[in-house]
Structure formats: C-alpha cells, structure tokens
Amino acid sequence: MYLPSPDRYAAMPYRRTGRSGLLLPALSLGLWHNFGGDRAPETQGAILRRAFDLGITHFDLANNYGPPPGSAEETLGRALATDFARLRDEIVISTKAGYHMWEGPYGEWGSRKYLRSSLDRSLQRLGVEYVDIFYSHRPDPDTPLEETMGALDSAVRQGKALYVGLSNYSAAQTREAAAILKDLGTPLLIHQPRYSMLDRRIEADGLPDVLDELGVGSIAYSPLEQGILTDRYLDGIPAGSRAAGASPFLSADAVTPQLLERLRALDALAKERGQSLAQLALAWVLRGGRLTSAVVGASSLAQLENSVEAVRNLDFTEDELSRIEESLRDAKAA
C-alpha cells in the first residue's frame, strides 16, 4: 500500500491562483503524452506517486490526452482508485474539452452539448464525482462565447467542477469570457497558455497584463518547448527523440544550428547557477511569482526529479536576465 511521504509539503512552493482561495504547486504534472495506453502502467504509477511525494498536488489533463484519447484520464482514474484513494482532498484534478474526441458534429469545439457530454465522459474515466478545474481548451469561432461560458458555469452549478478555466484564448477573448462568467456568478479562475523562453507570444498579446488586471491565475504549458529547452538537443538531434520522429509537435527543421548555439549559451549560464538547462527554463517561467504554476511532463522518475529541482532557485540577477535576453533574441529569430 502506498504511503505518501510525510515531508511532501516541505519544499514545494504553493502559489495563490489569482484572487481565489486555491493554492497550486509551482510545478504541476501534465499527463499529456506519457500516461496513455502505450506506456507501462508500472512506470506511470511510480511517476504519479513520486510527484505527490515531491509536493506536486495538481494533475493536469484533457479529454484527448493519451494516446489514445481518453486513456490518460483512465490512467489517473486507476491511481485515484488505488494509491490515492484516501488522498482525493489533497489533490487538484483539472481536465479540458475543446479538441476532437468523437465523430459527428458534437465531438469537438465549444458547444454546450459537447462540453457537458465531454465532462461526463471525463468523470467516468477518472472515477470521480467532480474535477477541481474544468477548462474550455480552445475558443470556438462558430459558437457564441456566451454558450461556451454558460456550459462552464453549468458544470460548477451541477457540482461537476469546482472552478473553471480557459486555455489558448487571446487576451481580448479572455477579457470578454471573464466578463460573461462574472455576470453568471462563476469567476474565471485560471488561464493556461503556451509559454516558454522560446514562445513569448502571450507577452506581445498582453495576456499577462489582462490576467493581472482581472485577478485570474495562470499556468504555462510547454515551458520546456517540447524538450528543446533541455540538454537532449545540445549536441544535435538524438535518435529516438521527438524531433527525430514523426511528431506533429516538433520537427527536425525547428532544431537549427543557430538555435543550438543559443541553447548552449543558456546551458552555460544554467551551469553557473548550479542548474540544468531544463531547470533554468522552468525557473525563468516562474520568475517573480507572476505565474501561478508551470506544467511539466515526465516519462521517467529522473526527468521528474530534475524538473522539481528547479524550484530551489527561482531568483535571477539583472545580469543573468540580460544574458538570457541576449541569447533568446537570436534564438527566437532562428
């Protein structure tokens, strides 16, 4: 029987989510690609247990996580029924709906019918009565925003979700959605954008400023840029890596000689700070406390533990930030 570490809350920082009462760990575990039906259950269970022992109380999912879609929720459902059966009140579970899940006109996007059906299916796969956070995974260009936000509000009123969030919405869309939710009486808790050293589009869009103004939390996904911001690509593209395969999320063309040169400069700075490149990238995303949390993935205990070490040093000097900006200026252009 799994007995969680008695010191699990000793080292992980917890940050308030916007103006809510909910605290999230600085690092959350994402179950995107490593917790589907194609991975060893023993490894998945070990990662989940170790994450909780390290203070990661938030498990981030979506209905389509796997592969195949839905299987990541089933994986966590099995863990909730066994290892974490007595620990549900110490765990934050989030899931999302918006991308394609089943055939026909009601299997994706943001209609009330799809969102409510998807949440019911997610609850079945997870084996729980409610999730803590239910997200609209992406804006629907053809469905009125009032309908999508109304579906999120209904989920809370039905007791199937405690809070609601948005993912991949622009600053303007977020402002409009938050206003609708406020009028409905269900405040927007959190926004999950893509954000990393190499992808700073939300800064240009003004999303962080809007979230600050509205008192909404934020949690970044892909803070390691599909593994580019790790030591895996410092010497080129290794066999078996995501960029070496047929992944739609990272191609070999993206790993240019110019980018590798900049990554090596960042790695040198990371070593000066006593960190790995991945730890530097995570610390940079979490710098200053503006972001509530960052979602990390893990295919092994070593990867997970390396990421968690980042929280030991989240402070940067002005010189370090300047050197990072100098490196990133060319890396982003490449």
Side-chain angles (χ1 to χ4, degrees), residues 42-288:
E42 296 80 8
T43 301
Q44 295 170 336
I47 293 172
L48 289 169
R49 291 189 296 270
R50 184 59 177 149
F52 191 71
D53 282 344
L54 291 171
I56 295 179
T57 55
H58 177 208
F59 298 137
D60 180 77
L61 299 113
N63 57 356
N64 63 332
Y65 287 1
S71 57
E73 290 178 329
E74 292 172 346
T75 295
L76 183 58
R78 288 190 291 272
L80 291 170
T82 54
D83 292 330
F84 301 113
R86 298 171 294 105
L87 298 166
R88 175 65 180 95
D89 290 339
E90 296 185 45
I91 294 172
V92 174
I93 303 169
S94 62
T95 196
K96 314 175 193 74
Y99 287 93
H100 183 267
M101 274 301 288
W102 59 85
E103 296 305 313
Y106 318 119
E108 63 179 323
W109 293 107
S111 71
R112 180 183 293 270
K113 180 171 178 60
Y114 168 64
L115 292 177
R116 290 185 61 171
S117 296
S118 179
L119 179 55
D120 285 342
R121 294 188 184 199
S122 291
L123 294 176
Q124 290 173 0
R125 287 189 289 265
L126 289 163
V128 296
E129 295 181 353
Y130 70 94
V131 293
D132 296 275
I133 308 170
F134 182 46
Y135 287 87
S136 171
H137 206 166
R138 59 173 173 170
D140 183 344
D142 298 318
T143 297
L145 196 56
E146 290 83 0
E147 179 176 340
T148 302
M149 296 306 105
L152 297 184
D153 172 68
S154 293
V156 173
R157 295 185 184 281
Q158 291 176 334
K160 296 178 179 181
L162 300 184
Y163 303 93
V164 299
L166 305 175
S167 185
N168 299 307
Y169 280 60
S170 70
Q173 290 166 333
T174 299
R175 185 185 295 279
E176 184 179 357
I180 295 170
L181 287 167
K182 182 179 180 180
D183 287 343
L184 291 170
T186 298
L188 176 61
L189 173 79
I190 195 167
H191 190 296
Q192 185 172 140
R194 179 168 179 151
Y195 184 52
S196 74
M197 282 182 166
L198 299 178
D199 190 340
R200 298 168 68 174
R201 287 173 290 181
I202 65 168
E203 294 178 1
D205 182 47
L207 179 64
D209 293 333
V210 169
L211 298 180
D212 287 347
E213 175 190 336
L214 298 176
V216 174
S218 55
I219 177 170
Y221 74 87
S222 293
L224 299 180
E225 202 61 30
Q226 303 295 320
I228 289 179
L229 288 167
T230 69
D231 59 8
R232 194 166 197 190
Y233 295 96
L234 292 176
D235 297 319
I237 301 175
S241 66
R242 187 169 292 175
S247 171
F249 305 105
L250 179 62
S251 68
D253 293 341
V255 187
T256 65
Q258 295 87 351
L259 176 60
L260 293 177
E261 180 182 349
R262 305 310 170 193
L263 293 179
R264 290 167 188 146
L266 291 171
D267 184 60
L269 174 58
K271 286 183 169 59
E272 292 177 23
R273 287 169 50 86
Q275 293 181 315
S276 68
L277 176 55
Q279 290 164 1
L280 173 74
L282 291 171
W284 182 88
V285 165
L286 293 167
R287 71 196 185 285

